């Protein structure tokens, strides 16, 4: 269905329900519950996602030639709600997949034909090759290099804080391709094949005892010139598009408890926890719980505005508000959970699941404070681009990167 052949909201809703009734079951919902899409998918989940993509429910706002229906944002929400109502995954990737949306916006027709379908079906796994040990939070300071050799580039350098690198088939890579221009002007953006000699992934142990983050060492790795997004040396602009999607996703998608229980993310969970602990009448806790819920409501409204901007082709700096807000929400919710549990929060292990969840969320909140640009970077963006405050002095934006001092 395209925008040239519109369908009413009610007719669309009935079409989605009929399709789900034919292809989806409560047993599938139970079997696929908790299967994540970000770092990998089971064969069963891939099979289901293939059906969703082929039926054009995965990215309904996209053009028809790229698995979409040309639907409006309102109708995309109708589809997503119907899928959510029966706990069916796969719809709404035109809002949630930074990989697919970045490729659609900036990739060549050939690269889109090769990878858009597999990405939407989770047939390929992706990671982000942005941060570097010596670049800090200033991605324009990267020193990983990509040198043109005929029809490909040779990549050398090191990346860090790379989630999902161990399972990734491709990495969205920013690399320096011109050292004789200012730092923002000599960067290019690639889809780097990860399964090749010259790429070594070393896991980093996190405070939660997980290892989602990795170091990636790249030595003479090859990336075809056809895997370039945008033109050579225009990677900074492509990166802004990718970061916009990433911050939008981080702005309204938080990780739940260690158990993965989705109910841990619902607004009512703090109320239920306080009732269970017998402290719901405590006036200070009631105020804390109300404030945490208000943060979530406000953030949801802001994110809706940002996603509307993205669908119109605008990369609004307001997305930094959402990303920063989610970081604050997670820290605040972890604090309130701990306050509700009181001394119980000192326990750990499977015999104390409430304390286990509260402590996990406390540690894990720092993930959101760092990932997708640190909280400090978001505050700078908000100050300069949203509030219009003076920019921080930058002494290296107008000189060739080759002459920028290291360290």
């Amino acid at each position: 269905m395209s925008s040239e052949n519109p369908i009413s909201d009610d007719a669309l809703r009935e079409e989605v329900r009929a399709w789900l009734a034919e292809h989806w079951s409560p047993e599938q919902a139970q079997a696929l519950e908790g299967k994540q899409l970000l770092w990998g998918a089971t064969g069963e989940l891939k099979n289901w996602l293939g059906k969703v993509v082929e039926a054009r429910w995965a990215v309904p706002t996209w053009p028809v030639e790229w698995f979409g229906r040309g639907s409006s944002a309102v109708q995309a929400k109708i589809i997503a709600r119907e899928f959510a109502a029966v706990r069916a995954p796969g719809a709404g990737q035109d809002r949630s997949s930074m990989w697919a949306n970045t490729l659609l916006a900036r990739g060549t027709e050939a690269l889109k034909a090769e990878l858009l379908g597999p990405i939407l079906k989770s047939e390929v796994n992706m990671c982000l090759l942005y941060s570097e040990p010596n670049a800090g939070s200033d991605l324009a300071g990267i020193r990983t290099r990509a040198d043109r050799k005929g029809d490909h580039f040779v990549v050398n350098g090191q990346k860090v804080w790379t989630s999902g690198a161990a399972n990734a088939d491709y990495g969205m890579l920013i690399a320096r391709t011109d050292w004789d221009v200012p730092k923002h002007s000599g960067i290019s953006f690639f889809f780097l094949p990860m399964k090749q000699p010259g790429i070594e992934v070393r896991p980093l142990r996190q405070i939660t005892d997980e290892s989602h983050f990795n170091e990636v060492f790249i030595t003479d790795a090859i990336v075809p010139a056809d895997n370039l997004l945008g033109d050579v040396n225009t990677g900074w602009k492509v990166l802004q598009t990718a970061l916009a999607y990433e911050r939008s996703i981080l702005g309204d998608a938080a990780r739940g408890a260690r158990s993965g229980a989705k109910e841990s993310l619902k607004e009512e969970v703090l109320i239920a926890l306080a009732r269970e602990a017998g402290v719901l009448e405590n006036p200070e806790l009631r105020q804390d719980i109300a404030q945490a819920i208000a943060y979530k409501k406000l953030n949801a409204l802001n994110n809706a505005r940002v996603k509307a901007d993205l669908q119109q082709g605008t990369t609004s700096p307001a997305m930094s508000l959402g990303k920063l807000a989610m970081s604050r929400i997670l820290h605040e919710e972890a604090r309130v959970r701990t306050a509700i549990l009181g001394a119980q929060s000192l326990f750990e292990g499977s015999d104390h699941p409430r304390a286990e969840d509260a402590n996990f969320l406390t540690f894990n909140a720092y993930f959101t404070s760092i990932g997708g640009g640190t909280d400090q970077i978001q505050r700078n963006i908000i100050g300069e681009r949203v509030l219009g405050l003076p920019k921080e002095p930058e002494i290296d934006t107008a000189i060739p990167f080759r002459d920028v001092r290291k360290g």
Side-chain angles (χ1 to χ4, degrees):
M1 184 63 62
S2 73
S3 56
E4 297 177 352
N5 187 20
I7 183 173
S8 72
D9 292 354
D10 289 340
L12 175 65
R13 189 176 292 107
E14 290 305 314
E15 182 182 347
V16 181
R17 288 178 179 175
W19 188 86
L20 287 169
E22 182 179 353
H23 294 89
W24 183 250
S25 67
E27 291 75 21
Q28 285 176 282
Q30 187 172 6
L32 296 181
E33 190 78 59
K35 300 291 189 303
Q36 60 172 312
L37 290 171
L38 197 53
W39 309 133
T42 63
E44 188 177 9
L45 181 55
K46 290 177 184 176
N47 182 53
W48 167 250
L49 292 175
K51 294 179 182 178
V52 176
V53 172
E54 296 303 324
R56 301 183 181 277
W57 300 126
V59 285
T61 61
W62 284 14
V64 174
E65 60 267 33
W66 295 119
F67 309 103
R69 292 173 169 246
S71 299
S72 68
V74 171
Q75 293 199 327
K77 287 183 179 178
I78 291 173
I79 295 168
R81 284 170 185 158
E82 294 301 322
F83 270 67
V86 296
R87 295 184 294 158
Q93 294 190 62
D94 41 1
R95 294 158 53 90
S96 64
S97 173
M98 74 182 93
W99 332 105
N101 281 288
T102 302
L103 179 55
L104 178 72
R106 299 290 189 169
T108 64
E109 298 300 291
L111 196 60
K112 286 190 283 189
E114 178 185 351
L115 289 177
L116 271 181
I119 290 174
L120 295 174
K121 298 173 186 175
S122 281
E123 293 174 348
V124 298
N125 298 319
M126 301 290 299
C127 68
L128 300 176
L129 298 168
Y130 296 166
S131 298
E132 297 186 6
N134 295 317
S137 294
D138 180 12
L139 291 178
I142 60 162
R143 292 183 177 274
T144 291
R145 61 187 305 147
D147 298 301
R148 183 80 184 241
K149 303 289 183 182
D151 61 354
H152 63 269
F153 288 80
V154 179
V155 184
N156 284 279
Q158 180 186 353
K159 299 292 181 177
V160 71
W161 310 124
T162 307
S163 302
N167 298 320
D169 299 294
Y170 289 88
M172 294 209 300
L173 167 77
I174 52 171
R176 191 159 300 282
T177 44
D178 190 339
W179 297 69
D180 295 317
V181 295
K183 61 181 185 179
H184 294 90
S185 302
I187 293 172
S188 298
F189 196 108
F190 302 91
F191 265 42
L192 173 70
M194 293 289 287
K195 307 296 187 186
Q196 63 169 304
I199 294 184
E200 180 185 359
V201 178
R202 299 180 187 173
L204 293 170
R205 188 176 180 184
Q206 300 162 222
I207 194 172
T208 57
D209 203 28
E210 300 169 306
S211 294
H212 294 301
F213 295 147
N214 302 273
E215 292 178 291
V216 180
F217 297 85
I218 308 172
T219 306
D220 293 334
I222 302 298
V223 57
D226 291 342
N227 285 24
L228 184 67
L229 274 69
D231 296 325
V232 174
N233 298 330
T234 64
W236 188 253
K237 293 181 180 177
V238 183
L239 176 65
Q240 298 315 302
T241 299
L243 288 175
Y245 284 110
E246 181 181 10
R247 288 166 184 163
S248 173
I249 293 165
L250 288 173
D252 65 359
R255 288 188 67 198
R258 186 186 294 276
S259 63
K262 288 192 173 182
E263 55 268 23
S264 66
L265 301 176
K266 295 180 179 177
E267 294 169 352
E268 301 82 2
V269 68
L270 292 177
I271 298 173
L273 186 63
R275 182 177 289 116
E276 179 182 297
V279 295
L280 187 57
E281 300 306 316
N282 181 308
E284 292 184 3
L285 286 176
R286 290 171 70 91
Q287 187 167 342
D288 285 346
I289 292 170
Q291 182 165 290
I293 292 174
Y295 282 156
K296 288 186 178 182
K297 290 286 188 185
L298 185 60
N299 192 41
L301 292 172
N302 181 66
N303 285 337
R305 178 180 61 161
V306 168
K307 286 174 178 172
D309 288 342
L310 284 171
Q311 287 168 353
Q312 294 173 5
T314 307
T315 56
S316 169
M319 67 193 66
S320 291
L321 287 169
K323 197 274 177 184
L324 182 62
M326 182 52 72
S327 176
R328 181 171 179 176
I329 287 168
L330 291 178
H331 283 284
E332 180 67 7
E333 179 158 335
R335 184 191 71 78
V336 176
R337 279 174 179 252
T338 302
I340 290 172
L341 294 175
Q344 288 187 57
S345 64
L346 297 175
F347 295 109
E348 63 178 9
S350 57
D351 291 339
H352 307 281
R354 300 290 185 263
E356 183 84 349
D357 285 349
N359 292 327
F360 176 77
L361 290 170
T362 298
F363 292 140
N364 192 63
Y366 292 94
F367 164 83
T368 307
S369 293
I370 298 172
T374 65
D375 287 356
Q376 289 76 17
I377 288 292
Q378 306 311 318
R379 290 190 176 95
N380 273 2
I381 294 173
I382 293 166
E384 294 172 3
R385 302 182 195 173
V386 178
L387 301 178
L389 298 176
K391 290 177 66 67
E392 278 191 309
E394 294 183 281
I395 61 174
D396 58 356
T397 56
I399 61 176
F401 188 75
R402 188 182 299 280
D403 298 330
V404 174
R405 292 181 59 186
K406 298 179 182 178

